[in-house]
Amino acid sequence: MLTLFLALSCHGPAAVSDSATPSEATTGDGVFLQGCPVAGQATARVLQDTAEQPWGPDALAAPGDVLLLNDHAAFVIQSPEDPRTYYHYGGIPIDAFAIDPTVDGCEQASPEALGELGFIVGRLALGAFTDSSLHMFRGDNMEIVNDGSDGNPAVVDVHGTDDRFWLVEETLIRTVYQDGGRKVLDDLFGLDITARYTLAPDGSTLQIDLLLDGQPSTDGFQVGAISFPSDTTPAHAWSAGTISVGGFGLVTDVPFVEAGLDQGSTAIAMPGSNMARTVIAGVTILIDSNQALVPLQVSDGQADTSFLLSVGPTDPASASAALEDLLPDPSPGLDTAWHDISGSVLDPTGDPVAGAEVDVWSPDIAGDWHVMSQFYTDQAGLFTGRSLAVQGQWRAQASGEGRDAGDSVELNPDAVWNLSLSVGSHGQVQVAAVDQDGSAMPVRAELERDDGLVLVGFPTPQDPTLPTPPGHYTATLSRGYEYQPATVELTVPDDGTATISATLDHVVDTTGWVSFDSHVHAGPSADSTELPIDRMR
């Protein structure tokens, strides 16, 4: 998925101090090789060794990148001289994770799974989107303005300009051509752009200011961020309703975007804006709905657009809760308030369920309910944290892998909660698939329950287990066009295991041939939900 965030605001840049020599500190492993975080102090330093990379499925840090950290969180900004990401240019956040305070702040609290967060500047034509001009921020050089050793926030500036956003520009050209028209690449704006990254000594949120300067323009600009999220951190965003602007549907009043599972999370917000979200040309866009028709003017000094990127050590709610003090009005015009929430999740026998997902819902202005925050239970089946409530109404519902979701529970924000939520019994399926010669092989398994529930998995001989809620299913096993699919009926018992044994005949002889697909989208693409590991299978 490709996500595009835009917001508009106008204020001057904060003053920063001169850089200084980093303080001495105890060292650790990975990003802590040069020193562990010091309590009450933020630090900015250049990574020197390949061993300084964080651990996690999406870790990208390399020598020459800049690390900002305190004893709550760490963020890595990619060197402009070494762009090596899906985003074309350097100078953007590529790693972000919480730090574990229980070991003197010198270990990651969770694996690194941010993905990438880039930036755009453009002129967005809401009435005719194909007339829009969207360019990427291209960082040219990076400096540590303040390394934090003086006790003030650590500040890093990346200076650059606008450059081609090929993915969007070529999409717009193709769309116009298919409609019988003609569109050429527009001129670059030639703006002076500074991405300023500020990490305070306390807290787990990175403030990002995009400062625009250059020749004044009567047309104005919109500035935003493009998120290339990790495959392992699904994202969601609550919204209040839907409006139409220039023919495009916008979901409105988005307070923040959460991403993550039970081990590490991130959240993105835009202070001082009324966020709205739409999808154009396969790109999800967040804009300030109050200022969508009043573009940012580059005149009389710098124009500043701000973003907040926070990290949480556990579930998505732990990341969004870090924004509470920084978002005094998360959804302007709506009655919102933060509240403590805690409880347990139990199975039908009354035993606690570890790793259960707890969704907290709030209604939109039409009365339809959407997920606001997500919690996950610990090994004792307990969850706790803070979540935003809208209009004084909440619901909570628990679900678990291989289980049916429990009933939703209405919540009263004025009450003190210690919820007891339920989920269904656990079930699983073991898949043993072979070809006509008896050789074990991986397959795609689609299971449809009698009530219409459909599950899809990719069992392999090394990992043949699929978590599956109890019930009667029809299972279809397949392996591309060369093999004859097999259909099997089965019943998954409560707290038990069902087994599928099937033979898939090789019906297309491909001896001497090599098969490939030259256009396969991975998980980060807007039109694909498959993980790269499943693509390889």
Side-chain angles (χ1 to χ4, degrees):
M1 177 183 292
L2 177 66
T3 308
L4 182 63
F5 305 91
L6 296 101
L8 304 173
S9 61
C10 226
H11 52 276
V16 294
S17 63
D18 295 331
S19 61
T21 304
S23 61
E24 296 294 328
T26 304
T27 60
D29 297 325
V31 294
F32 310 110
L33 279 176
Q34 293 186 51
C36 298
V38 177
Q41 179 176 304
T43 299
R45 61 171 178 254
V46 179
L47 300 180
Q48 305 289 342
D49 194 292
T50 55
E52 292 182 273
Q53 188 176 83
W55 62 273
D58 286 81
L60 295 169
D65 297 341
V66 168
L67 172 71
L68 294 104
L69 80 161
N70 57 26
D71 58 350
H72 298 276
F75 304 88
V76 175
I77 311 303
Q78 181 176 223
S79 169
E81 298 179 358
D82 184 24
R84 57 194 179 280
T85 54
Y86 191 78
Y87 186 86
H88 300 324
Y89 313 108
I92 63 168
I94 56 173
D95 290 333
F97 52 89
I99 292 176
D100 190 346
T102 65
V103 286
D104 298 325
C106 208
E107 286 188 10
Q108 292 179 217
S110 57
E112 200 295 310
L114 169 68
E116 308 164 29
L117 183 66
F119 305 103
I120 65 98
V121 59
R123 296 185 178 122
L124 186 62
L126 291 177
F129 183 69
T130 53
D131 293 335
S132 299
S133 299
L134 293 177
H135 300 161
M136 280 179 165
F137 165 64
R138 187 194 74 210
D140 293 327
N141 60 82
M142 180 161 55
E143 65 171 325
I144 296 176
V145 179
N146 186 32
D147 72 354
S149 59
D150 59 359
N152 290 318
V155 181
V156 173
D157 277 2
V158 178
H159 305 285
T161 186
D162 59 287
D163 211 327
R164 294 296 178 201
F165 188 179
W166 295 109
L167 180 64
V168 167
E169 289 184 89
E170 291 183 345
T171 298
L172 297 180
I173 290 172
R174 183 177 69 249
T175 301
V176 172
Y177 176 79
Q178 290 172 340
D179 290 339
R182 182 174 181 268
K183 178 181 175 66
V184 299
L185 288 174
D186 58 272
D187 295 333
L188 296 176
F189 305 136
L191 292 166
D192 296 324
I193 305 174
T194 297
R196 174 162 295 161
Y197 303 98
T198 303
L199 181 63
D202 56 355
S204 56
T205 300
L206 181 70
Q207 178 171 328
I208 305 168
D209 293 287
L210 257 66
L211 311 172
L212 268 62
D213 210 339
Q215 295 297 320
S217 169
T218 57
D219 293 332
F221 299 95
Q222 291 182 305
V223 175
I226 341 165
S227 175
F228 301 88
S230 165
D231 293 319
T232 60
T233 52
H236 68 274
W238 183 90
S239 62
T242 302
I243 61 174
S244 179
V245 177
F248 292 94
L250 303 176
V251 292
T252 60
D253 301 289
V254 179
F256 45 73
V257 178
E258 288 184 345
L261 294 171
D262 57 335
Q263 296 184 0
S265 54
T266 60
I268 300 174
M270 300 172 195
S273 72
N274 189 337
M275 292 200 299
R277 181 168 58 92
T278 189
V279 177
I280 304 175
V283 176
T284 301
I285 302 176
L286 290 171
I287 65 174
D288 184 346
S289 60
N290 290 334
Q291 302 180 28
L293 301 179
V294 184
L296 190 66
Q297 298 297 318
V298 181
S299 59
D300 300 326
Q302 292 177 320
D304 182 1
T305 301
S306 298
F307 306 88
L308 300 173
L309 172 62
S310 67
V311 294
T314 54
D315 46 39
S318 70
S320 59
L323 301 171
E324 179 177 351
D325 294 336
L326 304 173
L327 288 176
D329 195 10
S331 293
L334 296 178
D335 177 19
T336 60
W338 293 84
H339 296 275
D340 292 324
I341 182 171
S342 62
S344 61
V345 177
L346 307 176
D347 69 12
T349 67
D351 290 333
V353 178
E357 177 183 314
V358 177
D359 292 333
V360 176
W361 306 65
S362 271
D364 63 16
I365 57 177
D368 297 324
W369 293 75
H370 306 278
V371 174
M372 174 67 73
S373 288
Q374 290 179 330
F375 298 81
Y376 282 83
T377 59
D378 60 18
Q379 291 301 311
L382 304 175
F383 66 95
T384 186
R386 288 180 68 77
S387 180
L388 193 66
V390 179
Q391 310 290 52
Q393 291 181 283
W394 274 7
R395 286 179 182 170
Q397 183 179 37
S399 60
E401 193 174 45
R403 301 175 184 272
D404 286 313
D407 295 332
S408 62
V409 176
E410 297 278 352
L411 307 179
N412 177 2
D414 296 326
V416 177
W417 301 316
N418 188 11
L419 302 175
S420 180
L421 302 175
S422 63
V423 291
S425 299
H426 184 267
Q428 62 182 22
V429 172
Q430 295 277 348
V431 179
V434 298
D435 62 17
Q436 70 273 11
D437 297 324
S439 298
M441 61 181 182
V443 292
R444 179 185 186 274
E446 180 174 312
L447 292 84
E448 182 175 359
R449 199 164 62 178
D450 290 349
D451 62 359
L453 174 69
V454 176
L455 304 174
V456 176
F458 300 88
T460 69
Q462 297 76 28
D463 186 14
T465 304
L466 299 177
T468 309
H472 181 265
Y473 291 84
T474 299
T476 301
L477 308 184
S478 60
R479 193 185 182 190
Y481 299 114
E482 297 180 33
Y483 291 83
Q484 182 69 36
T487 301
V488 178
E489 291 194 8
L490 68 151
T491 298
V492 180
D494 290 344
D495 297 314
T497 301
T499 300
I500 300 176
S501 297
T503 299
L504 277 65
D505 292 331
H506 194 191
V507 295
V508 178
D509 184 4
T510 57
T511 303
W513 291 83
V514 174
S515 174
F516 74 99
D517 187 335
S518 62
H519 194 111
V520 174
H521 287 199
S525 296
D527 55 356
S528 174
T529 59
E530 302 296 350
L531 299 179
I533 185 64
D534 291 332
R535 287 291 190 204
M536 292 302 297
R537 286 174 177 168

